[in-house]
Amino acid sequence: MINDIFVFDNVIHLYDLSQQNVRTDRVDAQEARDHTLAEVSRLRWKGYPLHDDKNFDWGRRWGVEDMYDLVFKQAPTDMAMAQVVPMFDWFKDWYAPVRSQHQMAAAYPKQVMLCGGVDPNYEGLSAALDQIDYQVHELGARSLKFYNGHVKVSECWRCDDEKLAYPLYERARKAGIRVIQFHKGNPHGLQNMEFLSPTDLQAPMRDFPDLDFVVHHFALPYFDEMVSIAARFPNVYLSLAGYMAFYRIAPRRVQHHIGRLLQVAGAGKLLWGSEAALAGGPAPYLKAFMDMSMPDDLRSGYGYPQITEADKRMILGENFARLMGVDIEAKKVELGLKQEVAQ
Amino acid sequence: MSVDADQLARRVRAINVLIGSHAGSVEVLGVSSQGAVSIRYAGMCTGCEYRPVTTAGTVEPALRDVPGVTRVEVVGARVSDEALARIGATLDQGDAAARAVRVVRRIEAEDELVEGVRP
């Protein structure tokens, strides 16, 4: 916790960027893996013990204890969701494998939830539907993650495709899932951008009003579209998903985006997400978020409201806890963060 | 002074007749013992950038006209104090708040007339 603020991280990934996981049948796989590692190394902030360790190999298959140390011991995180990244473009066992995320949730069931992931263009729709059943019923997945934009256009799919995508949502709903999540914007390399626009989520948001849709990365560079969607649709939430890592580089840009979202969509629509371990440990980003305020000129010139502690409390934990059915006060007692009060 | 629930509900119905012309509405989430009414927007109002103007010019004055209501709190998106001050200054010139109260009272009166002739 930060003071008494409960921190529920919407997204951590036990990714596998090890050399062994790189596909050898895709000519761009090695370069993509190396480029990713180099790019994210620039995002990680100094002052975090592991970030300063020159000998630490970030190109690894992340394990449970390393991740627990990074997220829960070295940062004030109380709960987190370990999310599969079903990007098969460059990695044999996907970018963030099902098994690794499941191991994390199984090792720390009080604190970690599993978000599974499937792709209808990996081994076909039927296999994806079977995987949903397996991941939910056998592995205990509480949510599902989708990546519809791929490097090859032939492997891309639209989220409003009633023949390919809707069966996924229907199967998820049937399995008891109520929260589904989408990577939008933030392309990995030379993908076609149109598949990463959030506009194809509007039809499923309308057609599946009983499902909540979490969209990651503010769909950048499709920010204006994302704001409009988040403001209009009651069942959409936006995950910060590593975005605070940019605060060191462009604080005004982050303030602009957060301010605009508070102004039009409201703090109730935003979810804290650290994107550990790719962006490093969450501690410096959590501190930056807690210290962040809306500058005078943005409040005056753009009408953005000041970000309050109540906003931060919602964003850091209350919103996602509500979506996932977590009683924060009961969870604090369960985790020994506070004493049970006798009735 | 406590807020009469029926009176508040009638007023919200009247407000919704007004802003229903834009396919929007407001919902009351709760009333505090100090008379603070907590509301949220629904329908097309949820995605509208002019919500703060609607709040200041229509919803807030219409609700504050209900005996016992001391404050109106809108849950969700909000603008800066500076923006609210600009909106307030503009609306004062147009007497929008007084007009909003007149209109919702008329809607309520018409509603009562209709109720009165129903068998």
Side-chain angles (χ1 to χ4, degrees):
Chain A
M1 291 198 294
I2 302 172
N3 303 323
D4 69 332
I5 298 176
F6 190 81
V7 179
F8 191 171
D9 194 332
N10 161 254
V11 54
I12 61 173
H13 295 303
L14 289 88
Y15 64 79
D16 184 354
L17 295 184
S18 67
Q19 193 59 53
Q20 294 84 347
N21 196 31
V22 178
R23 281 177 65 163
T24 53
D25 59 335
R26 294 282 282 254
V27 292
D28 56 343
Q30 186 65 51
E31 186 185 340
R33 177 258 188 187
D34 295 345
H35 172 76
T36 300
L37 282 171
E39 186 181 25
V40 296
S41 71
R42 289 190 287 273
L43 284 180
R44 290 190 287 267
W45 293 14
K46 295 286 178 196
Y48 207 66
L50 200 61
H51 298 187
D52 292 332
D53 185 350
K54 303 283 184 211
N55 297 318
F56 187 80
D57 177 18
W58 290 85
R60 63 172 52 203
R61 184 179 177 101
W62 272 78
V64 169
E65 295 311 321
D66 279 345
M67 181 61 98
Y68 191 81
D69 184 66
L70 194 72
V71 173
F72 291 98
K73 289 185 179 172
Q74 296 186 49
T77 309
D78 301 302
M79 288 188 72
M81 179 169 272
Q83 299 204 3
V84 171
V85 182
M87 283 281 289
F88 54 84
D89 305 55
W90 304 308
F91 301 103
K92 298 170 192 168
D93 199 17
W94 297 357
Y95 200 117
V98 174
R99 274 174 290 187
S100 301
Q101 317 313 308
H102 172 246
Q103 284 165 359
M104 185 77 195
Y108 294 97
K110 289 181 183 175
Q111 289 177 279
V112 181
M113 288 182 181
L114 169 65
C115 174
V118 301
D119 193 296
N121 282 341
Y122 178 58
E123 290 178 338
L125 177 59
S126 179
L129 297 176
D130 289 345
Q131 266 293 311
I132 289 177
D133 286 341
Y134 172 70
Q135 291 179 21
V136 174
H137 298 306
E138 302 300 324
L139 303 184
R142 296 285 310 278
S143 179
L144 290 166
K145 184 75 166 284
F146 300 106
Y147 285 65
N148 65 302
H150 293 280
V151 179
K152 286 185 177 177
V153 172
S154 61
E155 290 174 341
C156 295
W157 49 281
R158 284 184 59 93
C159 299
D160 56 3
D161 186 325
E162 294 189 13
K163 291 183 176 156
L164 196 62
Y166 276 30
L168 301 173
Y169 315 146
E170 285 159 358
R171 183 63 66 94
R173 180 163 63 187
K174 190 178 174 192
I177 294 292
R178 289 292 171 267
V179 177
I180 56 177
Q181 311 199 38
F182 296 82
H183 175 104
K184 285 294 186 181
N186 200 21
H188 299 286
L190 301 180
Q191 294 154 279
N192 276 27
M193 287 303 295
E194 61 269 28
F195 291 101
L196 298 167
S197 161
T199 51
D200 65 354
L201 286 171
Q202 294 169 103
M205 284 166 179
R206 267 196 310 275
D207 294 338
F208 294 85
D210 55 331
L211 295 181
D212 287 316
F213 291 69
V214 177
V215 188
H216 290 242
H217 313 299
F218 296 167
L220 292 163
Y222 298 102
F223 183 70
D224 287 340
E225 290 89 333
M226 193 71 262
V227 170
S228 169
I229 290 168
R232 290 181 295 118
F233 288 84
N235 54 340
V236 56
Y237 298 84
L238 307 186
S239 171
L240 271 69
Y243 187 58
M244 278 307 290
F246 289 103
Y247 197 62
R248 182 183 62 170
I249 301 166
R252 295 276 294 184
R253 183 166 174 255
V254 173
Q255 287 161 335
H256 254 297
H257 285 152
I258 298 285
R260 179 82 177 123
L261 285 164
L262 292 177
Q263 182 186 44
V264 182
K269 291 300 195 86
L270 303 178
L271 309 178
W272 172 252
S274 74
E275 202 84 1
L278 207 56
Y285 312 124
L286 281 165
K287 183 174 185 318
F289 183 73
M290 286 303 294
D291 291 344
M292 185 172 71
S293 62
M294 208 51 65
D296 291 349
D297 65 319
L298 293 187
R299 296 206 313 274
S300 177
Y302 288 86
Y304 301 154
Q306 182 56 274
I307 184 167
T308 64
E309 184 172 312
D311 292 330
K312 291 172 181 172
R313 191 180 288 274
M314 280 196 276
I315 294 167
L316 287 176
E318 288 179 355
N319 293 336
F320 198 41
R322 187 177 67 252
L323 286 186
M324 299 312 303
V326 174
D327 179 334
I328 286 181
E329 295 311 310
K331 181 58 77 171
K332 284 180 180 176
V333 172
E334 185 186 0
L335 297 178
L337 300 170
K338 76 169 204 180
Q339 298 292 311
E340 193 162 11
V341 179
Q343 297 295 313
Chain B
M1 182 182 187
S2 62
V3 178
D4 180 82
D6 290 339
Q7 205 170 358
L8 180 63
R10 273 199 304 279
R11 181 54 53 93
V12 169
R13 269 203 306 277
I15 290 170
N16 284 339
V17 168
L18 205 56
I19 63 177
S21 62
H22 291 213
S25 62
V26 294
E27 300 167 353
V28 173
L29 300 177
V31 183
S32 77
S33 56
Q34 285 79 39
V37 177
S38 174
I39 62 162
R40 75 171 163 220
Y41 283 99
M44 287 307 291
C45 288
T46 54
C48 179
E49 299 242 20
Y50 291 103
R51 259 177 313 192
V53 180
T54 305
T55 302
T58 303
V59 175
E60 184 171 359
L63 287 175
R64 287 182 68 117
D65 182 53
V66 175
V69 174
T70 56
R71 204 167 73 242
V72 176
E73 298 168 349
V74 181
V75 170
R78 65 187 193 279
V79 296
S80 66
D81 293 341
E82 291 86 343
L84 284 175
R86 285 193 293 269
I87 292 168
T90 313
L91 289 172
D92 283 344
Q93 292 166 8
D95 199 21
R99 189 169 61 241
V101 170
R102 276 200 310 276
V103 171
V104 290
R105 284 182 178 177
R106 195 171 67 227
I107 293 170
E108 282 178 351
E110 287 169 358
D111 199 34
E112 280 169 21
L113 278 176
V114 172
E115 288 285 330
V117 297
R118 276 182 190 147

